[in-house]
Amino acid sequence: MSVKVNLDRVMDSIAAACKAADRNPEEVKIIAVTKYVSIDRAAEAVEAGIIDLGENRDEGLVEKWGHLGDKAVWHYIGTLQTRKVKNVIDKISYLHSLDRLSLAKEVDKRAASPVNCLIQVNVSGEESKHGLEPDSVLDFVRQLREFQNIRVAGLMTMAPHTDDEKVLRNCFRKLKTLQQEVQELKLDYAPCSELSMGMSNDYHVAVEEGATMVRIGTALVGK
Ligand SMILES: *Cc1c(COP(=O)(O)O)cnc(C)c1O
């Protein structure tokens, strides 16, 4: 299937979810996750009108950035090893996986200007998932105060792999509640206006629950 056909379908589904939740579809940014696909396929996504691309490994990001660099806005969505920060930090606009102080420290050191970071939260509590426990997010945000180059743009989570809408909804709602708690801290470096949640299987639910960024691979560019 062409990316264009897939994109139309994804946009219809987002529009329907927005209608159900009384939201404006313009509030939802579609990030095409290109980690499974070739440079050509990523280029096709850009040609179809997708501006935001996401990668979860430093090699993948550097490689695709080398070909499509200024044609896209780059999102790093995977676990980032501290020693790899220097490879990607000057290429990305958003880091979706901030989950520890040592990483914040390295980003702060290597970045030339403030980086839009999303704090990854392990809402579901599954051991296999990365991210902070929900209970430690507010303290973590306060601790980021000392880093000039860290801007807390929002929160990110990965829902459990299930089709049970109740479980998904519950997970996304918890992230939304946490976002409100961060916003109530009223810290100038932590506007926390973004909610990065929703993937191919569950983005329709995530959008209904307030996602402002959906990260879609399989359903958009394929696997
Ligand atoms: C791979 C990946 C996605 C996209 O997954 P799909 O199910 O293919 O849409 C989204 N977010 C993260 C963090 C990923 O690693």
Side-chain angles (χ1 to χ4, degrees), residues 38-221:
S38 66
I39 290 165
D40 284 351
R41 188 68 166 170
E44 188 190 335
V46 171
E47 264 154 46
I50 298 171
I51 297 162
D52 294 273
L53 299 186
E55 281 284 331
N56 72 337
R57 287 174 59 240
D58 68 316
E59 295 96 335
L61 187 119
V62 169
E63 191 194 14
K64 293 213 175 63
W65 183 88
H67 288 79
L68 299 166
D70 56 6
K71 296 201 180 84
V73 170
W74 298 88
H75 297 252
Y76 194 90
I77 61 169
T79 306
L80 183 57
Q81 287 175 278
T82 306
R83 66 190 168 84
K84 302 210 161 154
V85 167
K86 60 179 182 305
N87 302 346
V88 300
I89 204 66
D90 58 342
K91 301 175 179 65
I92 61 174
S93 296
Y94 291 90
L95 173 63
H96 290 240
S97 50
L98 183 61
D99 62 354
R100 56 194 193 277
L101 274 182
S102 56
L103 180 58
K105 194 172 176 187
E106 181 69 8
V107 169
D108 185 58
K109 181 173 136 192
R110 300 284 181 179
S113 57
V115 180
N116 286 310
C117 297
L118 289 91
I119 296 173
Q120 183 167 353
V121 188
N122 185 0
V123 177
S124 66
E126 288 174 290
E127 263 180 49
S128 59
K129 292 239 170 12
H130 290 270
L132 288 170
E133 281 173 42
D135 283 350
S136 45
V137 169
L138 291 182
D139 265 347
F140 183 68
V141 171
R142 289 190 194 96
Q143 286 174 313
L144 296 173
R145 179 191 301 271
E146 64 175 295
F147 302 118
Q148 301 294 318
N149 284 334
I150 302 278
R151 184 172 178 274
V152 181
L155 304 179
M156 178 275 216
T157 200
M158 291 175 82
H161 194 82
T162 173
D163 290 329
D164 186 339
E165 268 199 30
K166 229 197 249 161
V167 172
L168 296 170
R169 216 171 274 289
N170 193 28
C171 172
F172 297 139
R173 271 185 199 167
K174 280 190 186 156
L175 197 69
K176 173 89 195 173
T177 302
L178 257 182
Q179 177 198 30
Q180 287 160 347
E181 289 172 17
V182 174
Q183 288 177 335
E184 277 161 23
L185 296 176
K186 297 196 187 311
L187 301 168
D188 53 3
Y189 63 90
C192 205
S193 53
E194 305 288 352
L195 279 181
S196 170
M197 54 191 200
M199 310 180 10
S200 292
N201 279 330
D202 55 21
Y203 69 93
H204 58 292
V205 182
V207 169
E208 284 184 18
E209 297 303 331
T212 65
M213 294 173 160
V214 290
R215 310 177 308 269
I216 307 182
T218 313
L220 200 50
V221 291

